[in-house]
Amino acid sequence: MNLLFGLGCLFISSGVVVAAQFQLPTANRAIFQRGAEEQFFVPTTGKEWMTGTFGCVRTDGSQFHEGLDIRCLQRDRRGEPSDPVLASADGSVAYVNRKPSLSNYGNYIILRHQIDGLEAFTTYAHLSEVRPDLKPGVQVKAGESIAVLGRTANTGEGISKERAHLHFEVNLFVSESFPVWYKKTFPKQRNDHGQWNGQNLLGLDPLEIFLEQRRLGAKFNLVQYIQSQPELCRVFVRATNFPWLKRYAALVQSNPTAQREGVIGYELALNFNGVPMRAIPRSASEAKGKAKYQLLSVNETEQRKNPCRKLVTKRGSRWELTTQGQNLLKLLTY
Ligand SMILES: [Zn+2]
């Protein structure tokens, strides 16, 4: 392979190789100052800054928050937030919602990026204004202003001026078939956002990513980061042709036995949020049982630490996939 063309998303300029990385989506950089968390994260009313971070941080750990709530630095005369919101990486617009009444995210933007061979997405929510020219397909550069920070949401209680923040996510995408699957699975539920429904995007922890990028510099690699996360469980899915395998081929491992004998399904390692961190092809001789979806193992320490996605549950002495866990695998392989 020609070396220059093989470098993928690496950018070369005057001999310096710079890896594509995520940048902070506003001018707030307190995340990198020790002990300055309160200047960066906006907590839920009356709670600690931790409730503005990613993970099982809400309602005493039982509720999931899929992004970071980033504090505004600027206010206008009326006390409304006015910080520019910046594209976190080079990419293109995937989706824009300009009808705040249709989402608890209010006005929001989803950008699509190619990072270390993976299609990754970033989500910017509760915006007061979205740049008028933004629509799907428009290219953006890292650091480019795309919106104004705000506090839009369709929730009853809304977001107070005091709590105005940018809700920021880094996501992987589950399936193009989401709208069809959702309609069939939840016929009475509305879906105003097509495949850009939040249930079709799996969040990664942006705080960990920013800190790892800072620690490792150009050595940071998104595939390595994803695969270094703790594993919640292993599942086997009896399916061989689903979009995740193509979109996230960099997360698929090789298995010469299965490749020789014929692949009949995939063993998936899921993190606590259900992100398939790695997929291992399996042959008939390697697979047990006949079920379409099978739970192979559970990391009980991780489940105790991060139980809020409720993907697995213990019935008596046996671990099982919950309906939520099964739905995720059904959507993934639909
Ligand atoms: Zn949030």
Side-chain angles (χ1 to χ4, degrees), residues 251-264:
L251 301 175
V252 180
Q253 292 187 350
S254 75
N255 174 4
T257 307
Q259 266 119 21
R260 196 174 53 243
E261 294 178 3
V263 176
I264 61 134

Side-chain angles (χ1 to χ4, degrees), residues 51-52 58 65-69 105 126 163 165-168:
T51 56
R58 301 261 164 105
H65 182 235
E66 199 149 18
L68 307 182
D69 286 351
Y105 280 16
H126 309 313
R163 287 193 65 248
H165 61 266
L166 173 70
H167 172 95
F168 174 71

Side-chain angles (χ1 to χ4, degrees), residues 42 70-84 148-151 159-165:
V42 173
I70 304 174
R71 195 176 284 284
C72 70
L73 295 177
Q74 298 177 20
R75 303 229 181 218
D76 66 14
R77 251 185 236 159
R78 292 165 299 139
E80 293 291 348
S82 60
D83 306 47
V148 179
L149 191 148
R151 54 192 186 97
I159 300 171
S160 66
K161 254 189 208 180
E162 159 71 14
R163 287 193 65 248
H165 61 266

